[in-house]
Amino acid sequence: MRGDDIARFRELLQEPGFLTGPFDITVSLVAPTDQAQRFLAEGHIGEIQTSVTVTPSRSADMNGTLFEFDVAGPDSSVLASGAGLDNLPGLPFSVSGRAEYRVTSLRFPTANAKLGPTSAILSGIVGLGAYGDGTDIQVSISTPALLKTLQSIGVDGGPNIAAEAAANIRVADEQVRLSQVDATLGDIDIEGSVSANLRQPADSLRHNLTARSNDLSRSLSEVTTYKPPASPFMLRLDATLNKESLELRDLNVALGDAHIAIDGVVDRPPDMAGTSLRVAADIPNLSALSAPDGQALPDFPLLVSGRFTGAEDRVSGQGVSVTAGDSQLLADFSYRHADVPEIEVSLVSPHLDARPFAGTEEADQVTSEPNGDRVIPDIPI
């Protein structure tokens, strides 16, 4: 079969589709005496080269039918436009592999795909039922240029680093679970699992992930303007997000000798009665951390601890303790969620010296001008 425009051929057959341009497809039947017969289709549609071999089974429901496929083209934006994704950059692409039809699923001994510099390998079972129930596949993806990969799928911005990831994906009872996650983003290693309900994924997320880096400054050099110290980094997250609340079983962050730990439950407004959260931070030397604007931080330890509880329409913190160098601060506060939010704060301090946190000009002003009867210096905040 050949023609000047496959779109007119589709219209004649009243078949849906989006590809246009000249086409030339040859379909042949191969029937060796000692093997099953095969149908072979080869040719091109526009600039897309295709080769598909189908070995039909003898079963009435086609169970056991085998497919071999190899599709490649120079411009992925043609396929993206057909899927309603316009203005995406065009990259060379290819898809190849083998599959077996099993009525309720497709079984892939192996399948390979490439999109520009990004490559992916898939093997396992893809369920054909609702939400892909029965899917059990192993997937690995790698790219030498994550920024270009993100742009190819319509995501603006991102780090220009190498990345790779592997995971097992299972779908059962409308639940998808990514387990055995093993990913590398630049110098950051990530492992763990993620699961969600496919009906309402944003309201049923479960994360159990750990990220590590031997040198966070090198890892984030392409990601953000924040320049952290050249120190080991670790983040551990075990959390569940649902319609009612965010449950943090464990949120632990370590950068060098500094540690921050958060656990508990945060209810979503307006009813925050179930909120119960504990926060603790231990930073032996605050100056070892870099401020986002590159300014030096004070050279002393920082300790923070507190517990936060919820009522029907408010969150309260009682006995929140902050120790920064020689300064100590105890705080009680409450936040009421409303059209006009209400905040009440009570602060007590036996000794409070805010000068280390002031800029140089303000600090000089504090030391050179008398404070009079003021407990808090008359400096801009």
Side-chain angles (χ1 to χ4, degrees):
M1 296 183 295
R2 65 179 57 149
D4 295 332
D5 190 350
I6 195 171
R8 286 184 289 185
F9 187 70
R10 287 200 319 270
E11 292 174 0
L12 178 64
L13 299 178
Q14 296 184 340
E15 291 291 335
F18 55 88
L19 293 177
T20 61
F23 66 98
D24 188 345
I25 302 293
T26 299
V27 179
S28 57
L29 172 63
V30 181
T33 57
D34 58 342
Q35 299 179 24
Q37 63 182 14
R38 305 190 308 274
F39 293 94
L40 175 62
E42 291 181 304
H44 70 87
I45 302 174
E47 295 184 298
I48 300 176
Q49 299 293 324
T50 63
S51 175
V52 179
T53 301
V54 180
T55 305
S57 74
R58 299 180 183 276
S59 174
D61 58 5
M62 303 300 290
N63 184 45
T65 296
L66 302 176
F67 300 87
E68 295 184 35
F69 51 91
D70 190 347
V71 180
D75 187 354
S76 59
S77 65
V78 175
L79 302 181
S81 298
L85 303 173
D86 297 323
N87 302 319
L88 294 185
L91 297 172
F93 68 92
S94 65
V95 180
S96 62
R98 295 183 296 124
E100 180 182 3
Y101 176 70
R102 304 292 291 180
V103 181
T104 60
S105 65
L106 282 173
R107 303 194 176 197
F108 291 88
T110 182
N112 299 272
K114 292 201 69 175
L115 177 61
T118 304
S119 60
I121 301 175
L122 175 150
S123 63
I125 301 171
V126 175
L128 300 178
Y131 296 98
D133 271 14
T135 294
D136 185 354
I137 58 174
Q138 191 71 27
V139 178
S140 61
I141 303 174
S142 63
T143 176
L146 182 59
L147 176 60
K148 193 170 184 178
T149 299
L150 293 175
Q151 291 173 340
S152 70
I153 58 175
V155 178
D156 293 329
N160 190 26
I161 57 176
E164 59 183 36
N168 175 260
I169 303 176
R170 293 188 178 184
V171 181
D173 300 325
E174 300 178 356
Q175 295 281 335
V176 60
R177 175 177 172 81
L178 278 70
S179 61
Q180 305 171 34
V181 174
D182 186 359
T184 301
L185 300 176
D187 295 305
I188 300 176
D189 296 324
I190 303 171
E191 59 183 22
S193 62
V194 180
S195 62
N197 183 287
L198 290 171
R199 282 184 179 271
Q200 297 175 318
D203 293 330
S204 60
L205 286 172
R206 168 74 187 267
H207 301 80
N208 191 342
L209 297 169
T210 301
R212 291 184 176 88
S213 173
N214 291 326
D215 184 348
L216 190 62
S217 64
R218 186 168 64 242
S219 302
L220 293 186
S221 62
E222 295 285 348
V223 181
T224 175
T225 57
Y226 170 57
K227 303 300 181 184
S231 302
F233 166 78
M234 187 277 295
L235 182 147
R236 185 170 60 245
L237 173 64
D238 185 0
T240 298
L241 176 67
N242 55 44
K243 289 182 178 180
E244 292 78 25
S245 64
L246 169 64
E247 180 184 357
L248 290 168
R249 287 173 291 278
D250 183 17
L251 174 56
N252 199 297
V253 182
L255 179 59
D257 295 327
H259 291 82
I260 299 175
I262 303 175
D263 63 76
V265 177
V266 180
D267 265 4
R268 289 187 174 185
D271 184 358
M272 297 179 284
T275 296
S276 177
L277 195 68
R278 182 184 68 88
V279 177
D282 182 357
I283 303 174
N285 188 349
L286 196 59
S287 66
L289 307 180
S290 300
D293 59 2
Q295 298 294 320
L297 294 175
D299 183 11
F300 52 57
L302 175 67
L303 294 173
V304 179
S305 64
R307 184 173 291 276
F308 306 89
T309 57
E312 182 176 348
D313 62 349
R314 71 180 61 234
V315 173
S316 301
Q318 296 184 342
V320 178
S321 173
V322 179
T323 301
D326 295 330
S327 298
Q328 295 180 339
L329 180 68
L330 293 175
D332 295 337
F333 78 92
S334 69
Y335 165 80
R336 180 175 177 271
H337 181 76
D339 292 337
V340 180
E342 297 178 6
I343 300 176
E344 297 180 6
V345 181
S346 173
L347 302 175
V348 176
S349 175
H351 177 72
L352 180 62
D353 184 358
R355 288 175 297 179
F357 293 96
T360 303
E361 182 178 346
E362 288 83 355
D364 292 342
Q365 180 182 353
V366 172
T367 57
S368 61
E369 296 181 2
N371 292 329
D373 296 329
R374 293 181 180 274
V375 175
I376 300 176
D378 185 16
I379 60 175
I381 298 178

